[in-house]
Amino acid sequence: MNKAITDGVVFMPPAFENGLGVWSSEDGTPGSLTYVGAGNAALVPADQDFDGCLELFKDQNTQKLRYMGQTPFEQGCYLRVSARVKAISGPLPEARVATWAAQASGAHAGGYVENGPATALTAYGEVVEVSAIIGSGSRNGVDMIWGADVAYAHVGIDLTGTNGAVVRIDDIVVEDVTGAYLRDMMDWVDVRDFGAAGDGVTDDKAAFQAADAAANGRTVLVPEGTYRIASNLTLHADVRFEGTLTMPDNAYLSLTRNFDLPTYIDAFGTELLGFRKAFQALLHYADHEILDMCGRRIDVTSPIDMQDAYNSGDSFLIRRVIKNGQFYVVGGSAWDDEVTTATAQYNAANPYRLTNVANISAVMPGSVVSGFGVGREIYVKTVDVANSEVELSQPLWGAAANQTYTFTRHKYVLDFGGFAEVNRLNLIEVELQCNGHASGVMLPRDGENFVFQDCFFIKPKNRGISSVGRGCQDLHLDRCQFISNEQGIAATDRVSVAFNVNANDAKIRDNRFQRMGTSMVLHGSGHIIQGNHLFQGDEVTDGPRVAGLVFTYENNKTVLNGNYIDNCFVEWNNEHDAFPDFGSEYSFGGMTITGNIFTANDVASWFKWIYVKPFGTGHYLSGLHVTNNTFRTIAGAINRVEGVSTTHADLDYWSMKDVTFENNAFVGISQKTISPVTLEFNQNTEAATWVLDGSDYLPFGGNARTVQSVTIEGDLRDAGNNQVWDNPHVLVNQGPSYKKVALTWSKAVRGTAHVTMRVDRPV
């Protein structure tokens, strides 16, 4: 900024040779004395140093010389006043720039410094320059700091010291030097002013650090160019990027004042690289807790390897958050599955290992394993190439000692599989638009308390969230939506899985699963599944349905509460058990199913909402409570709501314990399921033994193992119509299938009894 150039402001006083009528021997105010005709002042037309100049004889203690014109002053403007002087004879004086500050009214603006530093003249004929800077801010080199009430000044010099000196003075010069202070006047500092080259070759780190140190509350400006930063850099000031940075993969950029995704995208020039470097800084810098994507959409053309982005170890155990943005997958070959087939050996005594794996170098960590005897959602956790071994996420229920397996590596938008352990990472209000090209998120191999909150998984190709190990311990899934890419095909043809869990204590709450192949596959125990809506129907008339919730641990200590389970069913099995036959472990139990809405429409009559599917013999139910649910069908009835899948084995009905199935509502169900169930039996002809059949009500086809009570309604009468006062003996497990109850009397009687029977025995 230069007012003389931009606004045409005239700061320079006229030369002395133009006349002394505008030069005052006082303050320069109107009416003050001038040097016209003064005996102590004369013009010298040709001085060897100055050409034309003014010669003064000092006869005052402070010999003043002031320009009577108004030199304008305004805030933000810096003026340098200077003059060259030399002593000719007499005592050697001191010289200084001097002014008189005026308000717009012409009154004196008091209270300000109006003199510059004094300079002693030490030799005759020696040219000495005296100068001073007038400005509005307290900056280095500013001698006179004036406020907004100063409108103009009368500028000049003073001669002080002993009288009698003769001094020659060259013309007074006033210069606008605001440009020298421009950087300090603006709200930014430019890294180029501190030596940044911006050529993509020179290491500009030191220049960035110097600019950051000088900012002092202002913004650091990175102008156009490519700036190489060779090592870690932390900037504490706000930064504005017009140019871009290049940094090694293992060097992080920490922006402590504006740590958000848009700034990192500006810094590195591309969305993907900006996100990777922002995530890297999130984990590296202790003062960063949340990476705010600020609603930005990132076009993703290949999987984002999160551990590679971190580039500093494979574990992170402190809470971090990624929030408020969208990842939009752009299709391409980078998303293609990588499939490997190889033979391997399996020993149930070493249940998490495949050994002697052929073609081991082609097997990728994170691959889904398939083959005979392999359960759902079993992943390759790690690969040991040196020993030709694969570590599995779960055991295999029925694999042969030596057989062929297929390993399929899906591709994920956010792939944390390279991390050995991550704790307490939160994704909040993040949308993954997979567009049928990619899966969503792969969790780290181990860790705890991974949180997804208000996230959207839109059209994942294969998986929404995959756990390849125990990185799902205490997984939190709250208010998320999973919308299938397979909505238009039959439920039985879908292959997608919303998420799986291998560890314990998952909290799955208030989520929505829309026509996924399977909504959830959960191993482990201690799960809370609450308030979710799962719907997996299709347009197939009287069509079969598939499992929406699959529990693969027998005694899972789980609550299924307040969910809306629509056109899919709950399957409870032990397909992740290397020894699926019942042994010394707990069998199927620890499950509470309460307060849910079960609905289905246009399904086959044999459809059921709750299936138990043992993969081995000897299992039974011990601790299952199905209460206060609503079961309803639309457009056709079904036979019953629960059953046992005997593909591999049946249940041991003689060992049922602590099973209740009560206080449920049934609409469009041919046969209600109740235990304990109280039924009315009418014996119209006299008999000593009444055989009572309540088996249709008992859950899972179980035996009539217990009678809690028998109440006689009205009279018991014998063949002679005499009233009989008698108590029966109760026999349970009657009939060829052990599902009936017998009441045995002392003689043949007829009457009505209310009998309460159970499918289980007291604990």
Side-chain angles (χ1 to χ4, degrees):
M1 181 173 69
N2 189 301
K3 288 289 183 178
I5 296 174
T6 60
D7 296 346
V9 177
V10 177
F11 294 106
M12 286 285 290
F16 293 128
E17 64 185 17
N18 293 333
L20 299 181
V22 295
W23 293 98
S24 171
S25 59
E26 297 180 308
D27 292 326
T29 56
S32 61
L33 295 176
T34 71
Y35 281 103
V36 173
N40 63 341
L43 290 172
V44 178
D47 180 89
Q48 62 181 356
D49 297 310
F50 300 152
D51 293 331
C53 63
L54 173 66
E55 183 176 284
L56 281 181
F57 174 75
K58 183 180 183 305
D59 58 4
Q60 302 290 324
N61 291 336
T62 299
Q63 189 74 47
K64 296 181 178 182
L65 175 66
R66 300 285 188 276
Y67 173 48
M68 296 180 70
Q70 298 178 357
T71 298
F73 175 79
E74 65 183 54
Q75 294 294 295
C77 193
Y78 289 75
L79 303 178
R80 181 176 184 267
V81 182
S82 64
R84 295 191 300 161
V85 300
K86 64 180 179 181
I88 301 300
S89 64
L92 293 170
E94 292 182 339
R96 67 188 183 193
V97 168
T99 64
W100 192 84
Q103 300 176 356
S105 64
H108 185 227
Y112 296 112
V113 175
E114 295 175 285
N115 301 314
T119 301
L121 305 183
T122 58
Y124 299 109
E126 179 185 13
V127 176
V128 175
E129 183 181 68
V130 294
S131 67
I133 294 177
I134 307 166
S136 58
S138 179
R139 301 289 187 263
N140 289 336
V142 178
D143 304 293
M144 291 172 266
I145 303 169
W146 292 352
D149 60 333
V150 179
Y152 62 90
H154 300 294
V155 299
I157 65 170
D158 288 340
L159 299 176
T160 61
T162 306
N163 292 334
V166 176
V167 176
R168 289 183 179 178
I169 306 167
D170 199 7
D171 294 328
I172 304 294
V173 176
V174 178
E175 303 167 277
D176 184 354
V177 294
T178 305
Y181 292 90
L182 183 61
R183 188 184 67 209
D184 287 343
M185 292 285 296
M186 297 299 180
D187 64 351
W188 43 263
V189 295
D190 191 325
V191 295
R192 293 174 301 184
D193 292 336
F194 298 88
D199 57 9
V201 177
T202 305
D203 184 0
D204 290 325
K205 177 179 177 178
F208 274 68
Q209 289 175 319
D212 184 54
N216 193 27
R218 291 166 292 162
T219 297
V220 172
L221 173 65
V222 182
E224 290 186 3
T226 302
Y227 299 83
R228 177 174 169 264
I229 307 296
S231 55
N232 300 333
L233 175 63
T234 298
L235 299 177
H236 298 287
D238 285 314
V239 187
R240 184 169 79 249
F241 289 94
E242 296 175 358
T244 57
L245 307 183
T246 62
M247 297 181 73
D249 289 342
N250 63 349
Y252 66 84
L253 171 69
S254 181
L255 305 175
T256 65
R257 289 291 299 275
N258 47 347
F259 181 69
D260 55 61
L261 180 59
T263 303
Y264 276 81
I265 292 174
D266 291 343
F268 292 96
T270 68
E271 295 169 339
L272 277 175
L273 182 56
F275 174 75
R276 286 172 58 92
K277 300 303 281 187
F279 175 75
Q280 181 185 50
L282 177 68
L283 269 57
H284 269 288
Y285 193 70
D287 282 359
H288 299 325
E289 180 189 18
I290 298 175
L291 171 57
D292 191 347
M293 296 177 69
C294 297
R296 285 292 293 262
R297 163 180 150 170
I298 299 177
D299 287 344
V300 187
T301 56
S302 61
I304 304 175
D305 187 330
M306 304 299 281
Q307 188 275 329
D308 183 67
Y310 178 42
N311 208 271
S312 182
D314 62 357
S315 67
F316 193 82
L317 309 180
I318 302 171
R319 179 180 180 268
R320 289 292 185 267
V321 177
I322 301 171
K323 66 174 293 186
N324 188 24
Q326 180 190 90
F327 296 90
Y328 187 90
V329 175
V330 178
S333 60
W335 303 108
D336 292 346
D337 294 340
E338 297 189 43
V339 182
T340 300
T341 300
T343 59
Q345 295 179 349
Y346 184 71
N347 183 348
N350 188 18
Y352 290 92
R353 291 278 172 181
L354 293 179
T355 59
N356 294 323
V357 182
N359 196 23
I360 184 69
S361 60
V363 177
M364 299 183 64
S367 298
V368 180
V369 185
S370 57
F372 177 79
V374 179
R376 279 168 284 199
E377 296 305 282
I378 292 181
Y379 290 84
V380 174
K381 185 177 180 181
T382 60
V383 176
D384 184 349
V385 175
N387 294 304
S388 297
E389 291 187 357
V390 162
E391 182 184 7
L392 302 172
S393 62
Q394 292 291 347
L396 311 182
W397 66 268
N402 195 337
Q403 69 177 50
T404 299
Y405 297 89
T406 299
F407 304 92
T408 303
R409 184 55 157 90
H410 304 309
K411 301 300 177 64
Y412 295 78
V413 180
L414 302 179
D415 193 333
F416 292 88
F419 280 101
E421 184 176 13
V422 174
N423 291 349
R424 290 173 283 279
L425 186 70
N426 291 205
L427 266 67
I428 299 175
E429 298 174 350
V430 172
E431 180 174 341
L432 291 94
Q433 284 275 2
C434 299
N435 297 321
H437 301 302
S439 295
V441 177
M442 175 172 281
L443 298 180
R445 301 192 296 275
D446 284 292
E448 63 181 33
N449 202 208
F450 217 102
V451 175
F452 295 88
Q453 180 178 311
D454 298 306
C455 293
F456 287 75
F457 297 81
I458 310 299
K459 296 185 177 182
K461 176 183 177 183
N462 303 108
R463 301 293 187 270
I465 302 170
S466 292
S467 175
V468 301
R470 295 183 65 84
C472 53
Q473 174 70 37
D474 197 21
L475 174 71
H476 285 233
L477 207 59
D478 293 296
R479 300 188 303 277
C480 296
Q481 293 207 27
F482 296 79
I483 299 177
S484 171
N485 188 51
E486 303 172 302
Q487 298 189 62
I489 65 177
T492 51
D493 293 333
R494 298 172 190 154
V495 298
S496 58
V497 178
F499 74 96
N500 73 292
V501 170
N502 296 314
N504 301 324
D505 307 330
K507 281 78 174 176
I508 313 300
R509 296 169 293 209
D510 303 324
N511 303 285
R512 183 173 181 268
F513 302 88
Q514 180 175 325
R515 290 195 171 188
M516 301 296 293
T518 304
S519 292
M520 57 187 84
V521 178
L522 300 106
H523 192 69
S525 66
H527 306 311
I528 298 174
I529 317 297
Q530 178 176 310
N532 303 283
H533 185 186
L534 302 77
F535 54 104
Q536 295 181 194
D538 55 25
E539 279 68 50
V540 178
T541 302
D542 293 337
R545 296 289 184 259
V546 297
L549 301 93
V550 181
F551 297 93
T552 69
Y553 188 64
E554 299 97 319
N555 202 276
N556 57 30
K557 197 176 60 177
T558 288
V559 174
L560 192 63
N561 177 42
N563 301 280
Y564 189 175
I565 300 171
D566 182 347
N567 279 282
C568 60
F569 58 84
V570 177
E571 180 181 327
W572 190 6
N573 65 48
N574 62 327
E575 65 184 274
H576 292 157
D577 189 343
F579 299 95
D581 292 341
F582 178 69
S584 59
E585 76 272 26
Y586 292 115
S587 195
F588 290 93
M591 173 87 80
T592 299
I593 301 175
T594 184
N596 302 283
I597 298 171
F598 292 87
T599 190
N601 61 288
D602 201 16
V603 295
S605 60
W606 42 261
F607 169 81
K608 298 175 178 63
W609 278 292
I610 303 174
Y611 273 105
V612 177
K613 185 178 181 179
F615 274 66
T617 60
H619 287 282
Y620 56 91
L621 295 174
S622 177
L624 169 63
H625 306 285
V626 182
T627 62
N628 299 298
N629 302 284
T630 296
F631 298 93
R632 181 184 178 185
T633 64
I634 304 170
I638 64 170
N639 297 330
R640 58 187 309 117
V641 302
E642 91 307 329
V644 178
S645 174
T646 58
T647 301
H648 304 287
D650 204 346
L651 290 175
D652 175 5
Y653 298 106
W654 294 102
S655 300
M656 295 278 202
K657 293 184 291 188
D658 193 22
V659 176
T660 56
F661 213 112
E662 60 184 349
N663 299 325
N664 300 293
F666 300 87
V667 180
I669 316 299
S670 300
Q671 176 59 57
K672 296 179 180 180
T673 303
I674 307 172
S675 180
V677 60
T678 301
L679 300 172
E680 178 183 293
F681 293 95
N682 294 300
Q683 184 69 33
N684 296 318
T685 59
E686 295 81 8
T689 300
W690 297 3
V691 178
L692 315 177
D693 188 356
S695 59
D696 287 344
Y697 290 91
L698 298 179
F700 302 103
N703 299 346
R705 299 196 65 219
T706 303
V707 172
Q708 288 186 199
S709 66
V710 177
T711 303
I712 303 302
E713 180 180 329
D715 296 334
L716 284 176
R717 298 285 177 171
D718 61 16
N721 202 35
N722 298 307
Q723 188 175 13
V724 177
W725 303 93
D726 201 353
N727 287 318
H729 297 287
V730 177
L731 300 176
V732 297
N733 302 310
Q734 298 299 293
S737 299
Y738 312 107
K739 302 184 188 306
K740 298 180 181 181
V741 169
L743 303 183
T744 303
W745 308 91
S746 60
K747 63 179 181 177
V749 293
R750 69 180 187 273
T752 299
H754 294 271
V755 179
T756 301
M757 63 180 66
R758 299 181 63 102
V759 76
D760 58 350
R761 295 286 290 176
V763 178

